[in-house]
Amino acid sequence: MTFYIRQIWRGIVRHKYKTILTGMIGVLSVLLLHIYAGNMDSTERQLKRLPEVMRVQAKVSNLNGSLEEGMTIREDRVQAIRASEHAADVVFTVRLRLGFGAFTPGEYEGNLNYYGAGMNAIGGVPGLKAEEITFFPGEDVSALESARKVCIMDAALMEREGLHLGDEVEMTSFCYRYEERSYEIFLDILGTDVYRIIGAMRIGEYEGNWVPADVIFPLDCMRELYHRQGIEFLADSGSFVVKDPFRLNECKEEMEGIGMLPVASRADFSYDGNALTIMDESFIRSAEALEENLALLRGMLPFVAAIIVLIGYICSYLSIQSRQEEYALLRSLGAGRGRSFCLFFGETAVVAAFAALCGSVAAFGFFSAAGKVSAQAGALFFFAFLAGTAAALLSLHKLSVMEMLSKND
């Protein structure tokens, strides 16, 4: 081993100008490979992060797509979507009318002074932000996912009524009933209950189309009130984000299985929330463009490798043309083909490794290349270049040692 190392080092020093030229070509090749590998890595990362940057939202609507609020979404569909593995950030709401104190259906006039909403997340109030809600100590937005008799009330309303966080207040609530045949809207009583105020909200910029809710209740709490009154629970609006847009077809199949249809603009008007609008066009276009770019870059990989192999072959071939006599002398001194090959190959391997290292350091300085990119570019150059070198050195085996030595005579 010591003999090989000593001879390889002597060969590098003896042919220092050729070594420097080969190293410069290697560094330049590594830099170009860094650009190529960097583009591929950047495209892969963009594709992986696309669901985070471009969220695919789905909204429940009626069949002709004219309604996204004020509908009747059946309870079984609501629960199926909430339980779906393909749905994230699910939000369902139910609209209510309410008033303070206890009163009968016949006394609703003058008492139903406020608007309410049941929801499982604050996303049910368009424009409402978590920081715009002040919670009672120990409480947070997760209370909306429970069936507790609690509420979040408008801060201005609390000031007018002299209420504070933690107070319990008696309210009578009514739900909306939509008549399909006459398109009329009725109010049905849900009952009188006592609710604890756990949050005060101040909406900065309301972005909804309906009158903003004065009081927010947990969705499942309202479901229980519906059941208690023997009324079929029907949500008013619903939306979710597709958890993994790359499994979009699976999501659509599951939604069809629970009765959610594609929007048909020519369908008759109905309050039935049985259709789903999935806003996936932008995501699909972006994903397809990135996948095409990635496929092109991957398809070019064999050609890039072949070019590096060719560079390695040409550099080594030109180098050994002036060293044929040296090769013949080694053979005449008893060095076999394998040992002679290893000595010449070792010289190039050392230069190639040094070029890969220098090229990676330069790429880090110029392009801020990531470690993964540097490893890929360096490894591709090193092995492809040495493959070309091996092909060039094998041509030495065809030389006649006696013929080369007789030329010197």
Side-chain angles (χ1 to χ4, degrees):
M1 180 60 69
T2 304
F3 169 78
Y4 280 108
I5 295 174
R6 186 169 59 251
Q7 289 300 117
I8 288 172
W9 177 249
R10 286 177 179 176
I12 292 173
V13 174
R14 189 183 305 118
H15 303 281
K16 57 183 178 182
Y17 296 111
K18 293 181 180 179
T19 299
I20 293 172
L21 180 60
T22 301
M24 291 176 63
I25 293 173
V27 170
L28 182 60
S29 300
V30 173
L31 287 174
L32 293 175
L33 284 174
H34 268 85
I35 295 175
Y36 170 79
N39 286 337
M40 183 181 293
D41 181 67
S42 176
T43 304
E44 288 178 343
R45 284 189 286 108
Q46 288 180 52
L47 191 59
K48 288 180 181 178
R49 293 183 56 220
L50 191 61
E52 302 173 14
V53 177
M54 192 173 292
R55 290 156 63 92
V56 176
Q57 190 171 28
K59 290 187 176 182
V60 180
S61 70
N62 60 349
L63 192 55
N64 66 8
S66 60
L67 290 178
E68 290 184 352
E69 298 177 283
M71 300 175 294
T72 55
I73 309 172
R74 285 178 5 205
E75 182 176 2
D76 60 330
R77 292 171 180 165
V78 171
Q79 296 302 93
I81 292 175
R82 291 176 71 182
S84 171
E85 64 173 335
H86 298 292
D89 297 335
V90 180
V91 179
F92 279 100
T93 68
V94 56
R95 301 190 66 82
L96 309 165
R97 290 294 300 274
L98 53 90
F100 290 108
F103 50 90
T104 64
E107 300 171 334
Y108 75 90
E109 291 187 11
N111 287 308
L112 288 181
N113 301 317
Y114 304 105
Y115 290 89
M119 59 189 67
N120 63 315
I122 61 171
V125 181
L128 178 62
K129 303 178 180 62
E131 57 268 23
E132 294 175 336
I133 305 176
T134 302
F135 284 100
F136 187 78
E139 300 286 356
D140 54 38
V141 293
S142 64
L144 295 178
E145 300 173 2
S146 70
R148 296 164 55 199
K149 288 186 177 180
V150 295
C151 68
I152 299 172
M153 192 173 292
D154 180 69
L157 173 59
M158 291 175 62
E159 292 172 2
R160 289 198 304 269
E161 297 293 333
L163 298 171
H164 303 87
L165 290 176
D167 288 352
E168 292 187 343
V169 57
E170 186 179 48
M171 288 183 281
T172 301
S173 55
F174 285 69
C175 65
Y176 289 91
R177 174 165 50 88
Y178 301 91
E179 181 59 47
E180 285 287 354
R181 294 182 180 179
S182 63
Y183 301 139
E184 292 183 276
I185 301 176
F186 301 93
L187 288 172
D188 292 329
I189 190 168
L190 290 177
T192 302
D193 296 273
V194 176
Y195 300 89
R196 186 166 182 257
I197 304 173
I198 63 167
M201 59 181 177
R202 294 184 184 274
I203 306 176
E205 296 183 11
Y206 180 66
E207 299 174 358
N209 298 318
W210 289 58
V211 178
D214 299 298
V215 186
I216 297 174
F217 304 95
L219 182 71
D220 289 331
C221 174
M222 295 300 102
R223 285 179 57 227
E224 290 186 356
L225 297 189
Y226 272 77
H227 296 163
R228 184 181 66 186
Q229 293 296 112
I231 302 173
E232 180 187 10
F233 176 77
L234 298 167
D236 170 84
S237 69
S239 66
F240 65 90
V241 173
V242 179
K243 185 179 293 185
D244 184 359
F246 293 113
R247 299 174 62 190
L248 196 55
N249 290 335
E250 295 178 32
C251 177
K252 290 180 179 180
E253 289 177 4
E254 182 183 18
M255 293 300 117
E256 289 178 6
I258 63 178
M260 304 305 295
L261 305 173
V263 172
S265 58
R266 295 185 179 181
D268 294 333
F269 176 84
S270 172
Y271 285 113
D272 187 11
N274 62 346
L276 197 65
T277 301
I278 300 179
M279 290 158 277
D280 56 359
E281 292 183 6
S282 297
F283 178 87
I284 292 174
R285 283 199 303 268
S286 299
E288 287 178 346
L290 289 172
E291 287 176 346
E292 287 176 3
N293 291 339
L294 191 57
L296 178 63
L297 290 169
R298 287 173 175 169
M300 290 174 58
L301 183 59
F303 299 99
V304 173
I307 291 172
I308 301 301
V309 171
L310 182 61
I311 291 173
Y313 177 84
I314 293 174
C315 288
S316 300
Y317 183 80
L318 294 176
S319 176
I320 64 176
Q321 290 306 301
S322 60
R323 301 181 65 182
Q324 293 181 2
E325 295 178 1
E326 182 181 347
Y327 174 78
L329 183 60
L330 279 172
R331 292 292 309 279
S332 67
L333 293 175
R337 289 182 176 181
R339 174 175 288 191
S340 302
F341 176 88
C342 290
L343 289 174
F344 281 80
F345 186 82
E347 292 178 19
T348 306
V350 171
V351 176
F354 186 74
L357 178 61
C358 291
S360 297
V361 171
F364 179 79
F366 290 125
F367 314 128
S368 299
K372 177 184 176 182
V373 174
S374 294
Q376 290 174 339
L380 177 59
F381 166 77
F382 184 75
F383 290 109
F385 192 86
L386 291 186
T389 297
L393 292 177
L394 288 175
S395 64
L396 286 174
H397 294 338
K398 300 179 181 178
L399 296 177
S400 170
V401 175
M402 296 305 297
E403 183 179 344
M404 291 302 302
L405 292 174
S406 63
K407 285 184 180 181
N408 293 333
D409 297 335

